[in-house]
Amino acid sequence: MNKIYVFYCENAKEIETANNNIKFVKLPCSGRLDEIMILKAFEDGAEGVIVLACYEGACKYLSGNIKAQKRIEYTKKILKGVGIEDKRLEMHYLQANQDEKFKEILKNFKKTVSE
Amino acid sequence: MVVAEQKDFEEIKNMVFPHKKILVVGCGTCVTICFAGGEKEVGILSALLRIAAKKEKHELKIVEATIERQCDKEFVEELKDKLDGIEAILSLGCGAGVQTIAETFTNIPIYPGVNTKFVGRVEEQGVWSERCTGCGDCLLDKTGGICPIARCAKSLLNGPCGGSKNGKCEINPDIDCAWQLIYDRLKELGQLDKLEEIIPIKDWSTSRDGGPRKIVREDLKL
């Protein structure tokens, strides 16, 4: 079972091979992210969802990361209604050469969702 | 268009959870445009209901569908094929849509998933505001195309009232005074003389006061 879903903008992160516990979903831009994608991940049994977007001002499509941020806030709100806590959905800004930062994010997130 | 807003999730859940298999129906017209009950909202709400059901260990199967117009029986009848084992229908259409489904499938309970708010327009992405109450006797010709019935808190026909301050309404500083808007518009059109004309007391029988309304066009009937 995939316990953590990582939705990532292809410009913010290099493709990562999926393993048993993490499912990577590549997006052309974080602005493509839809509430339903996150909900499907939780329906699929995800314990948490991470969204990786480009830094503010660095979006190839100008405002995709800002749109993603707003959708994530909305999704957190509706997830709360079904008893899924805020902490299970995180958004982080990243660029392709920050692999170490991603590893750190993942490590912390795994800890957060298992608490 | 008709503007609606999705009901509180808890309220929807309490309506549908007594059932084990439900049909969630969206409408492809007004409620799609105002993001309250289109195909996307059907998907989101269904996913949330499934997650909630799983968490509460409640058995719930959901069939999803979105039709072109719920206020048209011809389209509603398309749902017939999806009713196998359905115990209840949750409609994300406006009040007219919900009732058309209720009148079409009389043996299945139907629940409203949205609150129908008003006839309005899109001000900007994510913002809708009321423009028409459907009073049945339009007077926009007298008021520069701005409706005092829908946009004045008191529905004054000869405004403004004493509560108009700096162009805003006394009930809320975010709401424009409709009569200030009318004045500004008529001034721009060079038609301020229209304000000299007293609009007589309105015959509200053309509105809701006359009971449920109906239009019959013999020339169009088959």
PDB file of all heavy atoms in Angstrom, chain A residues 9-23:
ATOM      1  N   CYS A   9       5.501  19.076  -9.117  1.00  0.00           N
ATOM      2  CA  CYS A   9       5.617  19.786 -10.390  1.00  0.00           C
ATOM      3  C   CYS A   9       6.899  19.300 -11.061  1.00  0.00           C
ATOM      4  O   CYS A   9       7.952  19.232 -10.415  1.00  0.00           O
ATOM      5  CB  CYS A   9       5.686  21.280 -10.127  1.00  0.00           C
ATOM      6  SG  CYS A   9       6.287  22.201 -11.551  1.00  0.00           S
ATOM      7  N   GLU A  10       6.817  18.963 -12.308  1.00  0.00           N
ATOM      8  CA  GLU A  10       7.991  18.401 -12.985  1.00  0.00           C
ATOM      9  C   GLU A  10       9.149  19.411 -13.072  1.00  0.00           C
ATOM     10  O   GLU A  10      10.283  19.042 -13.296  1.00  0.00           O
ATOM     11  CB  GLU A  10       7.633  17.901 -14.381  1.00  0.00           C
ATOM     12  CG  GLU A  10       7.153  18.985 -15.329  1.00  0.00           C
ATOM     13  CD  GLU A  10       6.818  18.424 -16.703  1.00  0.00           C
ATOM     14  OE1 GLU A  10       7.059  17.238 -16.941  1.00  0.00           O
ATOM     15  OE2 GLU A  10       6.309  19.204 -17.530  1.00  0.00           O
ATOM     16  N   ASN A  11       8.815  20.681 -12.861  1.00  0.00           N
ATOM     17  CA  ASN A  11       9.882  21.685 -12.889  1.00  0.00           C
ATOM     18  C   ASN A  11      10.524  21.888 -11.516  1.00  0.00           C
ATOM     19  O   ASN A  11      11.571  22.511 -11.398  1.00  0.00           O
ATOM     20  CB  ASN A  11       9.318  23.024 -13.376  1.00  0.00           C
ATOM     21  CG  ASN A  11       8.726  22.887 -14.759  1.00  0.00           C
ATOM     22  OD1 ASN A  11       9.408  22.528 -15.704  1.00  0.00           O
ATOM     23  ND2 ASN A  11       7.425  23.124 -14.862  1.00  0.00           N
ATOM     24  N   ALA A  12       9.841  21.368 -10.499  1.00  0.00           N
ATOM     25  CA  ALA A  12      10.351  21.574  -9.141  1.00  0.00           C
ATOM     26  C   ALA A  12      11.145  20.378  -8.631  1.00  0.00           C
ATOM     27  O   ALA A  12      11.916  20.495  -7.690  1.00  0.00           O
ATOM     28  CB  ALA A  12       9.191  21.853  -8.189  1.00  0.00           C
ATOM     29  N   LYS A  13      10.937  19.219  -9.251  1.00  0.00           N
ATOM     30  CA  LYS A  13      11.549  18.012  -8.701  1.00  0.00           C
ATOM     31  C   LYS A  13      11.837  17.032  -9.821  1.00  0.00           C
ATOM     32  O   LYS A  13      11.055  16.862 -10.743  1.00  0.00           O
ATOM     33  CB  LYS A  13      10.545  17.410  -7.690  1.00  0.00           C
ATOM     34  CG  LYS A  13      10.842  16.042  -7.181  1.00  0.00           C
ATOM     35  CD  LYS A  13      11.292  16.093  -5.720  1.00  0.00           C
ATOM     36  CE  LYS A  13      11.776  14.723  -5.242  1.00  0.00           C
ATOM     37  NZ  LYS A  13      13.072  14.372  -5.812  1.00  0.00           N
ATOM     38  N   GLU A  14      12.989  16.371  -9.715  1.00  0.00           N
ATOM     39  CA  GLU A  14      13.328  15.321 -10.679  1.00  0.00           C
ATOM     40  C   GLU A  14      12.461  14.097 -10.392  1.00  0.00           C
ATOM     41  O   GLU A  14      12.030  13.889  -9.264  1.00  0.00           O
ATOM     42  CB  GLU A  14      14.801  14.931 -10.532  1.00  0.00           C
ATOM     43  CG  GLU A  14      15.792  16.055 -10.779  1.00  0.00           C
ATOM     44  CD  GLU A  14      15.930  16.421 -12.248  1.00  0.00           C
ATOM     45  OE1 GLU A  14      15.454  15.661 -13.098  1.00  0.00           O
ATOM     46  OE2 GLU A  14      16.498  17.488 -12.534  1.00  0.00           O
ATOM     47  N   ILE A  15      12.245  13.283 -11.407  1.00  0.00           N
ATOM     48  CA  ILE A  15      11.411  12.085 -11.223  1.00  0.00           C
ATOM     49  C   ILE A  15      12.086  11.113 -10.250  1.00  0.00           C
ATOM     50  O   ILE A  15      13.291  10.876 -10.314  1.00  0.00           O
ATOM     51  CB  ILE A  15      11.157  11.381 -12.573  1.00  0.00           C
ATOM     52  CG1 ILE A  15      10.376  12.324 -13.482  1.00  0.00           C
ATOM     53  CG2 ILE A  15      10.391  10.067 -12.372  1.00  0.00           C
ATOM     54  CD1 ILE A  15      10.299  11.879 -14.904  1.00  0.00           C
ATOM     55  N   GLU A  16      11.294  10.612  -9.372  1.00  0.00           N
ATOM     56  CA  GLU A  16      11.802   9.681  -8.355  1.00  0.00           C
ATOM     57  C   GLU A  16      11.139   8.327  -8.580  1.00  0.00           C
ATOM     58  O   GLU A  16       9.988   8.262  -8.951  1.00  0.00           O
ATOM     59  CB  GLU A  16      11.392  10.207  -6.977  1.00  0.00           C
ATOM     60  CG  GLU A  16      12.021   9.527  -5.817  1.00  0.00           C
ATOM     61  CD  GLU A  16      13.260  10.263  -5.329  1.00  0.00           C
ATOM     62  OE1 GLU A  16      13.470  11.416  -5.755  1.00  0.00           O
ATOM     63  OE2 GLU A  16      13.998   9.658  -4.552  1.00  0.00           O
ATOM     64  N   THR A  17      11.854   7.266  -8.362  1.00  0.00           N
ATOM     65  CA  THR A  17      11.247   5.949  -8.528  1.00  0.00           C
ATOM     66  C   THR A  17      10.333   5.689  -7.334  1.00  0.00           C
ATOM     67  O   THR A  17      10.706   5.955  -6.201  1.00  0.00           O
ATOM     68  CB  THR A  17      12.337   4.850  -8.558  1.00  0.00           C
ATOM     69  OG1 THR A  17      13.402   5.346  -9.350  1.00  0.00           O
ATOM     70  CG2 THR A  17      11.813   3.563  -9.125  1.00  0.00           C
ATOM     71  N   ALA A  18       9.152   5.162  -7.625  1.00  0.00           N
ATOM     72  CA  ALA A  18       8.216   4.878  -6.544  1.00  0.00           C
ATOM     73  C   ALA A  18       8.723   3.696  -5.724  1.00  0.00           C
ATOM     74  O   ALA A  18       9.392   2.817  -6.252  1.00  0.00           O
ATOM     75  CB  ALA A  18       6.851   4.553  -7.120  1.00  0.00           C
ATOM     76  N   ASN A  19       8.466   3.731  -4.456  1.00  0.00           N
ATOM     77  CA  ASN A  19       8.738   2.533  -3.662  1.00  0.00           C
ATOM     78  C   ASN A  19       7.446   2.099  -2.976  1.00  0.00           C
ATOM     79  O   ASN A  19       6.388   2.674  -3.229  1.00  0.00           O
ATOM     80  CB  ASN A  19       9.890   2.772  -2.679  1.00  0.00           C
ATOM     81  CG  ASN A  19       9.527   3.799  -1.628  1.00  0.00           C
ATOM     82  OD1 ASN A  19       8.404   3.812  -1.143  1.00  0.00           O
ATOM     83  ND2 ASN A  19      10.470   4.640  -1.290  1.00  0.00           N
ATOM     84  N   ASN A  20       7.531   1.124  -2.139  1.00  0.00           N
ATOM     85  CA  ASN A  20       6.320   0.548  -1.560  1.00  0.00           C
ATOM     86  C   ASN A  20       5.474   1.539  -0.770  1.00  0.00           C
ATOM     87  O   ASN A  20       4.266   1.411  -0.719  1.00  0.00           O
ATOM     88  CB  ASN A  20       6.692  -0.618  -0.645  1.00  0.00           C
ATOM     89  CG  ASN A  20       7.133  -1.797  -1.476  1.00  0.00           C
ATOM     90  OD1 ASN A  20       6.827  -1.863  -2.671  1.00  0.00           O
ATOM     91  ND2 ASN A  20       7.866  -2.698  -0.862  1.00  0.00           N
ATOM     92  N   ASN A  21       6.137   2.485  -0.160  1.00  0.00           N
ATOM     93  CA  ASN A  21       5.388   3.370   0.730  1.00  0.00           C
ATOM     94  C   ASN A  21       5.104   4.753   0.165  1.00  0.00           C
ATOM     95  O   ASN A  21       4.320   5.494   0.732  1.00  0.00           O
ATOM     96  CB  ASN A  21       6.139   3.528   2.046  1.00  0.00           C
ATOM     97  CG  ASN A  21       6.218   2.223   2.779  1.00  0.00           C
ATOM     98  OD1 ASN A  21       5.245   1.467   2.800  1.00  0.00           O
ATOM     99  ND2 ASN A  21       7.376   1.931   3.326  1.00  0.00           N
ATOM    100  N   ILE A  22       5.788   5.090  -0.917  1.00  0.00           N
ATOM    101  CA  ILE A  22       5.594   6.437  -1.460  1.00  0.00           C
ATOM    102  C   ILE A  22       5.205   6.361  -2.929  1.00  0.00           C
ATOM    103  O   ILE A  22       5.863   5.689  -3.723  1.00  0.00           O
ATOM    104  CB  ILE A  22       6.882   7.279  -1.314  1.00  0.00           C
ATOM    105  CG1 ILE A  22       7.316   7.310   0.155  1.00  0.00           C
ATOM    106  CG2 ILE A  22       6.668   8.701  -1.803  1.00  0.00           C
ATOM    107  CD1 ILE A  22       8.728   7.776   0.342  1.00  0.00           C
ATOM    108  N   LYS A  23       4.132   7.071  -3.252  1.00  0.00           N
ATOM    109  CA  LYS A  23       3.726   7.109  -4.659  1.00  0.00           C
ATOM    110  C   LYS A  23       3.953   8.521  -5.185  1.00  0.00           C
ATOM    111  O   LYS A  23       3.406   9.486  -4.638  1.00  0.00           O
ATOM    112  CB  LYS A  23       2.270   6.701  -4.803  1.00  0.00           C
ATOM    113  CG  LYS A  23       1.841   6.702  -6.247  1.00  0.00           C
ATOM    114  CD  LYS A  23       0.593   5.914  -6.504  1.00  0.00           C
ATOM    115  CE  LYS A  23       0.316   5.936  -7.992  1.00  0.00           C
ATOM    116  NZ  LYS A  23      -0.737   5.061  -8.412  1.00  0.00           N
TER     117      LYS A  23
END
